[in-house]
């Protein structure tokens, strides 16, 4: 019973890695290709059919809207004629001059229209009429009052009614649709009828005014299934459609009603056009699928041919190297080409580890050297001014101030000179700055105003040593030395998520654009360590970080910097 499953398992185990890989790549490539191709074809077919139907519906709806516009336009003309004061007098009989005036008004209302409808105004007994064309013989109310168009007019006295019919006018054109309205005196007495005839050419223009990229045919029926127009079979016009549901059978059909005329507009297009288009899409997808299948099989063969276990092992080891694991080594006893590659990889890993260790040591020495350079840049002018300050306080017997100055100077020098580590906390850096500012407050007396704002959770942040002090000293030395009046210095440090945002601003003498550009380019040598601080920030944290300086002559200077937030335990 279990022989066949065991044979399958044995066969799978006996397959070489290459064959397994080949089968896997074929399955992975072909199955998604078939699924995606089938889904794409189905969606494309549905989308194409939906777009086709939407275009068809848009054209039919446009024809229905044009019918409504026609009814509104000529209904307005009929109402205008019916409201003319001379019309009632004309229907009761009038002079030749009155007849001429009334017919001129009719022609003016039709002026500018491409396919003009014919307008007829007939009195109640048919003895008097006014028209834009020769009056047809069928419009005789004395003879046909209870029939046809006149009966339709009396079904709703005074209202405009739609009357579809078919007859040849005296001018030779075929009339397929009319509007009719009864006219009454102020006392309600019937005076006559107002009729508007629409020739077939006008109705045909309405349904054929489309720009669809496919063939279409139209059928227009009234509410009784009377055929007003049939673009494909004109001989059926003027007849009743026995089976309206069969119109457009085997075609894509859309039906939109014309509310004002009470007509239904049928628009249909041969389904063969859609089938031809879908056949083209189907062929295109089949060709694309065949080409993709061939490419997939070719790639599966190539990949399976060249990929093997030693390559995977090498790739895995290289990935570990890229993630920082420099202890990885490839253990191989092979003596072929891969053995040579493995030996070379191991030697490369050892060299990279040694080089990184050497580079880290070199970077540390460089940072320590930069800190010592900043120590050496402690402005001798500041020390001279401090000693001069002590001298004048000694002359004035200000022993308390002398003691404070000496203590703060000693602490400042100790913090600047004794460097046991290249990093410190923001709190320790601020203590060094406070020593410096203590002396400067005495120098400037009441002129120096200092505003320090630091988030409490930022004080334990680890920063490079002497990061802020050179910037504060630079602001006082270059910003305030030659300034008259009060001077303001602000130092703000805020924590924003995983970053520290620091800003040192003063209202000193500022800088002109030339000096500012030189500082930004690192070619200005008058500042105390600005370029040094900028380069150290980039060395510590990368090119994304550094200083940003803004200054305006006579207004002041603002130096802002952004560095990552790290605590002491995170750097251990």
């Amino acid at each position: 019973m279990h022989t066949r499953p065991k044979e399958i398992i044995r066969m799978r185990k006996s397959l070489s890695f290459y064959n397994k890989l080949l089968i896997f790549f074929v399955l992975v490539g072909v199955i998604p290709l078939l699924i995606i191709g089938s889904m794409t074809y189905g969606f494309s077919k549905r989308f194409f059919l939906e777009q086709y139907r939407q275009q068809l519906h848009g054209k039919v709806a446009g024809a229905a809207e044009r019918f409504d516009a026609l009814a509104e336009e000529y209904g307005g003309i009929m109402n205008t004629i019916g409201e003319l004061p001379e019309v009632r007098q004309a229907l009761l009989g009038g002079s030749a001059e009155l007849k001429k005036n009334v017919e001129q008004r009719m022609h003016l209302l039709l002026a500018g229209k491409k396919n003009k409808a014919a307008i007829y105004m007939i009195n109640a007994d048919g003895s008097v009429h006014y028209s834009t064309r020769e009056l047809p013989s069928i419009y005789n109310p004395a003879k046909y009052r209870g029939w046809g168009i006149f009966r339709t007019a009396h079904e709703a006295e005074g209202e405009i009614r739609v009357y579809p019919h078919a007859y040849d006018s005296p001018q030779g054109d075929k009339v397929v649709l009319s509007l009719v309205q009864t006219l009454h005196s102020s006392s309600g007495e019937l005076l006559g009828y107002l009729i508007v005839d629409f020739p077939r050419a006008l109705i045909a223009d309405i349904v054929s005014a489309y720009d669809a990229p496919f063939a279409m045919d139209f059928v227009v029926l009234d509410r009784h299934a009377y055929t007003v127009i049939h673009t494909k079979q004109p001989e059926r016009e003027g007849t009743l459609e026995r089976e309206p549901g069969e119109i457009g059978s085997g075609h894509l059909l859309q039906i939109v009603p014309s509310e004002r005329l009470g007509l239904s507009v049928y628009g249909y297009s041969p389904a063969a056009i859609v089938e031809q288009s879908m056949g083209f899409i189907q062929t295109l997808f089949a060709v694309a699928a065949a080409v993709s299948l061939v490419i997939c099989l070719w790639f599966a063969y190539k990949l399976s041919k060249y990929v093997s276990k030693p390559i995977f092992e090498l790739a895995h080891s290289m990935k570990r190297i890229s993630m920082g694991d420099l202890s990885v080594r490839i253990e191989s006893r092979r003596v072929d080409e891969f053995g040579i590659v493995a030996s070379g990889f191991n030697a490369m890993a050892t060299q990279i580890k040694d080089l990184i260790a050497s580079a880290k040591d070199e970077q540390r020495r460089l940072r320590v050297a930069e800190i010592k350079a900043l120590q050496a840049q402690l402005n001798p002018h500041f020390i001279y001014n401090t000693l001069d300050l002590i001298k004048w306080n000694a002359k004035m017997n200000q022993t308390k101030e002398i003691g404070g100055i000496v203590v703060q100077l000693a602490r400042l020098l100790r913090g600047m000179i004794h460097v046991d580590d290249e990093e410190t906390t923001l709190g320790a850096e601020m203590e060094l700055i406070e020593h410096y500012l203590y002396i400067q407050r005495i120098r400037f007396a009441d002129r120096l105003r200092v505003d320090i704002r630091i988030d409490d959770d930022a004080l334990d942040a680890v920063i490079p040593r002497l990061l802020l002090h050179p910037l504060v000293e630079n602001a006082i030395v270059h910003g305030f030395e030659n300034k008259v009046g009060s001077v303001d210095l602000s130092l703000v440090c805020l924590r924003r998520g995983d970053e520290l945002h620091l800003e040192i601003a003063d209202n000193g003498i500022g800088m002109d654009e030339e000096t500012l550009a030189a500082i930004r380019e690192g070619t200005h040598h008058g500042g105390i360590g600005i370029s040094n601080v900028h380069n150290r920030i980039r060395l510590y944290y990368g090119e994304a970080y550094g200083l940003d300086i803004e200054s305006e002559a006579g207004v002041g200077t603002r130096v802002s910097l952004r560095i990552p937030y790290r605590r002491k335990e995170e750097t251990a």
Side-chain angles (χ1 to χ4, degrees):
M1 293 179 61
H2 302 287
T3 303
R4 187 170 184 81
K6 288 183 178 179
E7 289 178 356
I8 295 175
I9 295 174
R10 191 180 304 111
M11 184 181 298
R12 291 178 58 186
K13 288 183 178 180
S14 62
L15 287 174
S16 65
F17 178 77
Y18 166 77
N19 291 329
K20 292 178 182 178
L21 201 60
L22 178 61
I23 295 172
F24 172 77
F25 280 139
V26 169
L27 292 177
V28 169
V30 172
I31 293 177
L33 180 64
L34 294 176
I35 295 175
I36 295 174
S38 300
M39 292 177 62
T40 305
Y41 174 75
F43 288 144
S44 300
K45 182 177 181 180
R46 187 183 307 171
F47 175 79
F48 182 83
L49 189 60
E50 184 63 25
Q51 291 294 314
Y52 193 93
R53 285 174 176 166
Q54 288 181 4
Q55 290 188 38
L56 182 62
H57 182 272
K59 304 309 175 184
V60 178
E65 290 174 1
R66 288 189 290 274
F67 273 118
D68 290 338
L70 181 72
E72 182 177 3
E73 180 182 16
Y74 278 93
I77 292 175
M78 294 175 71
N79 290 331
T80 300
I81 294 174
E83 291 172 1
L84 292 174
E86 61 267 33
V87 165
R88 289 174 176 80
Q89 180 182 354
L91 291 173
L92 294 174
S95 63
E97 184 68 21
L98 180 60
K99 177 180 177 65
K100 180 179 179 181
N101 290 337
V102 171
E103 289 182 346
Q104 282 182 347
R105 293 294 296 271
M106 291 181 179
H107 283 287
L108 286 174
L109 290 172
L110 295 178
K113 301 188 183 306
K114 180 181 178 182
N115 293 315
K116 300 179 181 179
I119 302 178
Y120 308 98
M121 189 169 62
I122 313 166
N123 68 350
D125 60 4
S127 60
V128 179
H129 71 273
Y130 304 86
S131 63
T132 59
R133 288 187 176 187
E134 181 181 350
L135 182 69
S137 60
I138 64 172
Y139 291 160
N140 188 342
K143 185 177 180 180
Y144 303 109
R145 182 182 299 274
W147 298 93
I149 193 170
F150 298 105
R151 185 175 67 180
T152 300
H154 286 289
E155 288 176 357
E157 297 286 345
E159 296 181 7
I160 299 175
R161 300 302 302 274
V162 180
Y163 183 71
H165 58 155
Y167 78 95
D168 294 326
S169 69
Q171 289 73 31
D173 51 359
K174 185 177 181 179
V175 175
V176 296
L177 189 68
S178 298
L179 300 179
V180 62
Q181 179 185 24
T182 58
L183 300 176
H184 300 266
S185 66
S186 57
S187 61
E189 179 185 0
L190 177 67
L191 296 179
Y193 306 88
L194 184 60
I195 301 173
V196 176
D197 279 351
F198 298 111
R200 186 185 185 278
L202 190 152
I203 302 301
D205 285 345
I206 290 177
V207 297
S208 62
Y210 68 93
D211 56 349
F214 44 81
M216 289 181 62
D217 291 300
F218 290 88
V219 178
V220 179
L221 304 180
D222 72 350
R223 58 176 55 90
H224 303 295
Y226 177 89
T227 305
V228 177
I229 191 169
H230 198 306
T231 59
K232 187 175 183 180
Q233 296 175 300
E235 65 273 12
R236 300 179 65 174
E237 296 173 1
T239 64
L240 290 175
E241 185 68 44
R242 295 181 179 180
E243 295 180 351
E246 294 298 320
I247 295 177
S249 179
H251 297 69
L252 293 177
L253 174 68
Q254 293 291 328
I255 306 173
V256 179
S258 171
E259 301 293 343
R260 289 184 176 272
L261 294 179
L263 304 176
S264 295
V265 182
Y266 292 69
Y268 58 93
S269 182
I273 296 178
V274 180
E275 293 175 359
Q276 290 176 2
S277 300
M278 293 311 302
F280 172 77
I281 294 177
Q282 186 175 4
T283 303
L284 183 63
F285 269 94
V287 172
V291 172
S292 300
L293 179 61
V294 172
I295 294 175
C296 179
L297 294 175
W298 185 82
F299 270 105
Y301 169 77
K302 285 296 183 181
L303 288 174
S304 302
K305 188 76 174 177
Y306 291 101
V307 177
S308 61
K309 183 178 178 179
I311 299 300
F312 283 126
E313 183 178 1
L314 178 61
H316 179 68
S317 300
M318 293 180 68
K319 184 176 181 180
R320 289 177 60 186
I321 287 285
S322 66
M323 296 176 63
D325 184 7
L326 300 178
S327 63
V328 63
R329 297 292 184 272
I330 297 178
E331 296 181 1
S332 176
R333 298 180 180 178
R334 297 175 61 163
V335 295
D336 55 7
E337 289 80 4
F338 182 76
I340 298 174
V341 172
S343 300
F345 175 85
N346 294 336
M348 178 190 68
T350 302
Q351 291 178 359
I352 291 175
K353 186 175 181 180
D354 294 339
L355 287 173
I356 290 178
S358 175
K360 287 183 177 179
D361 185 62
E362 185 66 24
Q363 287 182 354
R364 184 182 180 281
R365 288 198 298 269
L366 177 61
R367 290 195 292 266
V368 171
E370 288 174 342
I371 295 175
K372 293 183 179 297
L374 284 176
Q375 296 169 354
Q377 287 182 4
L378 183 60
N379 200 326
H381 187 59
F382 162 72
I383 299 176
Y384 171 81
N385 288 338
T386 304
L387 295 175
D388 187 64
L389 184 63
I390 294 173
K391 180 189 74 172
W392 284 107
N393 277 276
K395 288 183 178 182
M396 299 174 65
N397 293 322
Q398 301 289 334
T399 56
K400 183 178 180 180
E401 284 76 8
I402 293 173
I405 294 172
V406 172
V407 170
Q408 298 300 326
L409 179 60
R411 292 175 178 174
L412 176 61
L413 293 175
R414 187 184 305 115
M416 295 284 288
I417 296 174
H418 296 286
V419 180
D420 297 324
D421 195 354
E422 59 183 300
E423 292 181 330
T424 185
T425 63
L426 180 62
E429 181 79 358
M430 289 308 303
E431 289 181 6
L432 192 67
I433 292 174
E434 286 290 352
H435 300 329
Y436 179 79
L437 292 176
Y438 178 92
I439 299 173
Q440 295 294 356
R441 285 191 183 97
I442 297 177
R443 275 194 61 215
F444 286 87
D446 296 332
R447 291 176 54 214
L448 177 60
R449 293 175 297 195
V450 180
D451 178 24
I452 298 177
R453 287 174 291 160
I454 302 177
D455 285 349
D456 292 337
D457 56 350
L459 290 173
D460 61 346
V462 175
I463 63 173
R465 185 178 292 275
L466 296 180
L467 179 69
L468 300 178
H469 181 272
L471 303 178
V472 173
E473 184 177 355
N474 195 74
I476 292 178
V477 171
H478 294 280
F480 297 157
E481 288 291 346
N482 298 320
K483 182 175 175 64
V484 179
S486 62
V487 290
D488 296 324
L489 176 69
S490 69
L491 195 155
V492 180
C493 180
L494 304 175
R495 180 182 175 184
R496 292 291 182 264
D498 295 333
E499 291 184 341
L500 287 181
H501 291 209
L502 302 102
E503 180 182 282
I504 299 172
D506 64 75
N507 66 339
I509 61 174
M511 292 176 281
D512 54 28
E513 289 294 333
E514 182 178 355
T515 304
L516 184 60
I519 291 178
R520 287 172 176 170
E521 294 173 1
T523 59
H524 183 71
H525 304 291
I528 301 178
I530 291 182
S531 298
N532 192 305
V533 172
H534 177 72
N535 294 333
R536 288 173 60 215
I537 292 175
R538 291 199 166 190
L539 183 63
Y540 268 84
Y541 306 117
E543 295 293 324
Y545 299 92
L547 289 180
D548 185 25
I549 305 175
E550 299 176 6
S551 184
E552 183 176 352
V555 176
T557 302
R558 177 182 288 105
V559 179
S560 57
L561 58 148
R562 177 177 56 88
I563 61 175
Y565 173 80
R566 295 186 304 169
R567 303 179 64 181
K568 192 69 176 178
E569 55 268 21
E570 295 174 354
T571 60

